[in-house]
Protein backbone atom coordinates (compact mmCIF):
# COMPACT_ATOMS: atom_id res chain seq x y z
CA UNK A 1 0.00 0.00 0.00
CA UNK A 2 2.82 2.38 0.90
CA UNK A 3 4.45 1.86 -2.49
CA UNK A 4 1.18 2.67 -4.26
CA UNK A 5 0.78 5.89 -2.25
CA UNK A 6 4.29 7.01 -3.18
CA UNK A 7 3.87 6.23 -6.90
CA UNK A 8 0.35 7.62 -7.09
CA UNK A 9 1.45 10.90 -5.50
CA UNK A 10 4.48 11.12 -7.81
CA UNK A 11 2.37 10.54 -10.90
CA UNK A 12 -0.31 12.93 -9.74
CA UNK A 13 2.25 15.65 -9.09
CA UNK A 14 4.01 15.08 -12.42
CA UNK A 15 1.22 14.32 -14.84
CA UNK A 16 -2.20 14.95 -13.47
CA UNK A 17 -4.66 17.17 -11.75
CA UNK A 18 -7.03 15.83 -9.15
CA UNK A 19 -9.98 17.52 -10.85
CA UNK A 20 -9.16 15.85 -14.18
CA UNK A 21 -8.76 12.47 -12.52
CA UNK A 22 -12.12 12.87 -10.73
CA UNK A 23 -13.77 13.43 -14.12
CA UNK A 24 -11.86 10.62 -15.81
CA UNK A 25 -12.82 8.14 -13.10
CA UNK A 26 -16.37 9.48 -12.98
CA UNK A 27 -16.20 10.05 -9.24
CA UNK A 28 -18.69 12.21 -7.36
CA UNK A 29 -16.01 14.14 -5.50
CA UNK A 30 -12.27 14.36 -4.97
CA UNK A 31 -12.51 12.87 -1.47
CA UNK A 32 -11.90 9.36 -2.81
CA UNK A 33 -8.70 10.50 -4.49
CA UNK A 34 -7.57 12.27 -1.34
CA UNK A 35 -8.10 9.00 0.55
CA UNK A 36 -5.77 7.28 -1.95
CA UNK A 37 -3.25 10.15 -1.73
CA UNK A 38 -3.21 9.84 2.06
CA UNK A 39 -3.05 6.04 2.02
CA UNK A 40 -6.37 5.64 3.80
CA UNK A 41 -7.41 2.89 1.38
CA UNK A 42 -6.53 1.32 -1.96
CA UNK A 43 -8.54 1.85 -5.12
CA UNK A 44 -10.71 -0.99 -6.32
CA UNK A 45 -9.20 -3.07 -9.10
CA UNK A 46 -11.35 -1.43 -11.82
CA UNK A 47 -10.32 2.03 -10.60
CA UNK A 48 -6.69 0.96 -10.34
CA UNK A 49 -6.78 -0.13 -13.98
CA UNK A 50 -8.34 3.20 -14.99
CA UNK A 51 -5.66 5.07 -13.02
CA UNK A 52 -2.92 3.12 -14.83
CA UNK A 53 -4.59 3.96 -18.14
CA UNK A 54 -4.85 7.64 -17.16
CA UNK A 55 -1.14 7.82 -16.34
CA UNK A 56 -0.14 5.53 -19.24
CA UNK A 57 1.72 3.11 -17.02
CA UNK A 58 1.48 -0.51 -16.04
CA UNK A 59 -0.13 -1.71 -12.83
CA UNK A 60 3.09 -3.12 -11.42
CA UNK A 61 4.73 0.31 -11.71
CA UNK A 62 1.72 2.03 -10.16
CA UNK A 63 1.77 -0.44 -7.26
CA UNK A 64 5.51 0.04 -6.73
CA UNK A 65 6.33 -3.56 -7.67
CA UNK A 66 8.69 -2.55 -10.49
CA UNK A 67 10.52 0.53 -11.71
CA UNK A 68 9.60 -0.31 -15.30
CA UNK A 69 7.11 2.39 -16.30
CA UNK A 70 6.39 0.74 -19.67
CA UNK A 71 2.91 1.36 -20.98
CA UNK A 72 0.74 -1.69 -21.46
CA UNK A 73 -1.07 -2.32 -24.73
CA UNK A 74 -4.50 -3.07 -23.36
CA UNK A 75 -6.48 -3.01 -26.57
CA UNK A 76 -7.24 -6.73 -26.29
CA UNK A 77 -8.32 -7.14 -22.69
CA UNK A 78 -8.81 -10.72 -21.53
CA UNK A 79 -11.64 -11.26 -19.01
CA UNK A 80 -10.26 -12.01 -15.55
CA UNK A 81 -11.90 -15.43 -15.26
CA UNK A 82 -10.45 -16.51 -18.61
CA UNK A 83 -6.98 -15.30 -17.62
CA UNK A 84 -7.16 -16.99 -14.21
CA UNK A 85 -8.07 -20.34 -15.79
CA UNK A 86 -5.24 -19.82 -18.29
CA UNK A 87 -2.74 -19.15 -15.49
CA UNK A 88 -3.90 -22.16 -13.48
CA UNK A 89 -3.54 -24.42 -16.54
CA UNK A 90 -0.19 -22.92 -17.60
CA UNK A 91 1.22 -23.60 -14.14
CA UNK A 92 -0.19 -27.13 -14.11
CA UNK A 93 -2.08 -26.21 -11.01
CA UNK A 94 -5.70 -26.82 -10.10
CA UNK A 95 -8.47 -25.29 -8.05
CA UNK A 96 -7.91 -28.09 -5.56
CA UNK A 97 -4.20 -27.21 -5.21
CA UNK A 98 -4.98 -23.52 -4.69
CA UNK A 99 -7.43 -24.41 -1.94
CA UNK A 100 -5.07 -27.00 -0.42
CA UNK A 101 -2.22 -24.46 -0.37
CA UNK A 102 -4.61 -22.24 1.59
CA UNK A 103 -3.95 -19.66 -1.09
CA UNK A 104 -7.50 -18.42 -1.35
CA UNK A 105 -10.97 -19.29 -0.10
CA UNK A 106 -13.32 -21.49 -2.10
CA UNK A 107 -15.91 -18.69 -2.22
CA UNK A 108 -13.47 -16.18 -3.67
CA UNK A 109 -12.09 -18.62 -6.20
CA UNK A 110 -15.55 -19.68 -7.38
CA UNK A 111 -16.79 -16.11 -7.68
CA UNK A 112 -13.72 -15.12 -9.70
CA UNK A 113 -13.85 -18.14 -12.01
CA UNK A 114 -17.56 -17.57 -12.61
CA UNK A 115 -16.94 -13.82 -13.07
CA UNK A 116 -19.40 -12.90 -10.36
CA UNK A 117 -16.85 -10.38 -9.12
CA UNK A 118 -13.27 -9.27 -9.56
CA UNK A 119 -10.65 -9.77 -6.88
CA UNK A 120 -9.67 -6.92 -4.62
CA UNK A 121 -6.46 -5.14 -5.53
CA UNK A 122 -4.71 -6.97 -2.67
CA UNK A 123 -5.89 -10.35 -3.98
CA UNK A 124 -4.83 -9.49 -7.55
CA UNK A 125 -1.34 -8.79 -6.20
CA UNK A 126 -1.46 -12.04 -4.19
CA UNK A 127 -2.39 -14.01 -7.33
CA UNK A 128 0.40 -12.35 -9.32
CA UNK A 129 2.96 -13.17 -6.63
CA UNK A 130 1.72 -16.75 -6.22
CA UNK A 131 2.06 -17.47 -9.94
CA UNK A 132 5.12 -15.22 -10.51
CA UNK A 133 3.29 -13.05 -13.03
CA UNK A 134 2.77 -9.33 -13.43
CA UNK A 135 -0.42 -7.84 -12.08
CA UNK A 136 -1.18 -6.57 -15.58
CA UNK A 137 -1.00 -10.12 -16.92
CA UNK A 138 -3.19 -11.49 -14.12
CA UNK A 139 -5.95 -8.94 -14.72
CA UNK A 140 -5.82 -9.50 -18.48
CA UNK A 141 -4.22 -6.24 -19.61
CA UNK A 142 -1.43 -8.01 -21.52
Amino acid sequence: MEEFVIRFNELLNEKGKIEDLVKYLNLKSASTIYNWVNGDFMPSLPNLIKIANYFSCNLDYLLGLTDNHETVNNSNLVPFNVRLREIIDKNRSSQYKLLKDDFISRGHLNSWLNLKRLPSTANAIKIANYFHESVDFVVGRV
Side-chain angles (χ1 to χ4, degrees), residues 37-52:
V37 165
N38 295 326
D40 295 333
F41 62 88
M42 285 287 287
S44 66
L45 190 55
N47 277 335
L48 191 71
I49 292 168
K50 289 176 187 175
I51 292 167

Side-chain angles (χ1 to χ4, degrees), residues 59-73:
L59 291 171
D60 293 80
Y61 179 81
L62 182 59
L63 292 166
L65 302 173
T66 183
D67 290 331
N68 180 359
H69 187 275
E70 188 176 298
T71 303
V72 170
N73 175 7

Side-chain angles (χ1 to χ4, degrees), residues 10-55:
E10 286 173 356
L11 290 167
L12 200 53
N13 289 330
E14 291 173 14
K15 301 179 180 181
K17 294 181 183 171
I18 289 178
E19 301 81 25
D20 294 340
L21 191 54
V22 168
K23 288 178 187 171
Y24 182 80
L25 296 173
N26 198 27
L27 300 173
K28 293 180 182 178
S29 73
S31 63
T32 301
I33 292 176
Y34 287 115
N35 284 323
W36 299 335
V37 165
N38 295 326
D40 295 333
F41 62 88
M42 285 287 287
S44 66
L45 190 55
N47 277 335
L48 191 71
I49 292 168
K50 289 176 187 175
I51 292 167
N53 290 340
Y54 179 81
F55 289 118

Side-chain angles (χ1 to χ4, degrees), residues 50-117:
K50 289 176 187 175
I51 292 167
N53 290 340
Y54 179 81
F55 289 118
S56 299
C57 67
N58 61 61
L59 291 171
D60 293 80
Y61 179 81
L62 182 59
L63 292 166
L65 302 173
T66 183
D67 290 331
N68 180 359
H69 187 275
E70 188 176 298
T71 303
V72 170
N73 175 7
N74 57 7
S75 58
N76 295 320
L77 296 176
V78 176
F80 177 75
N81 63 330
V82 171
R83 180 52 54 87
L84 183 56
R85 288 178 198 280
E86 195 177 286
I87 292 169
I88 291 170
D89 291 346
K90 173 183 155 191
N91 286 278
R92 296 188 174 124
S93 192
S94 67
Q95 292 179 42
Y96 172 77
K97 181 171 179 1
L98 297 178
L99 296 172
K100 183 179 175 226
D101 287 350
D102 203 25
F103 166 67
I104 207 70
S105 74
R106 181 181 306 277
H108 280 110
L109 187 59
N110 286 336
S111 67
W112 298 339
L113 289 171
N114 294 315
L115 205 56
K116 292 181 180 171
R117 66 181 175 146

